[in-house]
Amino acid sequence: MTDEIKAVLGTGKTLKIGEETWVIVERDIGVEFVDWITEIRQYGGNLYLSLATAVIDAGNAPEARICARLRMNLGVAQSLHAALGNVIADALKPVDKSKAN
């Protein structure tokens, strides 16, 4: 039997999951642009995902600098997969020109 968990982002800095309200805490982490996936594998029911950003400085060798290492159980990975699929599908929909000015 599987219990369905619905997450709804509320106002302010909370996350509602089922009947519980979780406080969202942000660490002061800078934003990185991801250029490459450097690791993606599954082991022991967990997904391992590492991402890198390209750093090119004049006169230096180019770097693929790791900017995030994510570890998640397969349930979270499935939710991420579905969310990314929805966002990408929406972004790739053709523009409805009949509604243009």
Side-chain angles (χ1 to χ4, degrees), residues 28-100:
D28 199 14
I29 298 173
V31 175
E32 298 276 353
F33 190 88
V34 174
D35 295 297
W36 295 293
I37 297 172
T38 58
E39 171 192 32
I40 187 164
R41 62 190 171 95
Q42 180 277 136
Y43 178 75
N46 293 303
L47 176 75
Y48 291 67
L49 177 64
S50 296
L51 308 170
T53 186
V55 178
I56 303 172
D57 290 324
N60 295 319
E63 295 179 351
R65 190 173 294 165
I66 301 297
C67 59
R69 292 185 191 276
L70 305 173
R71 305 298 182 254
M72 62 191 86
N73 67 42
L74 292 179
V76 172
Q78 287 175 316
S79 294
L80 177 61
H81 176 265
L84 286 172
N86 291 337
V87 169
I88 292 167
D90 189 50
L92 296 177
K93 284 181 186 171
V95 177
D96 185 358
K97 294 183 181 182
S98 68
K99 295 182 181 178

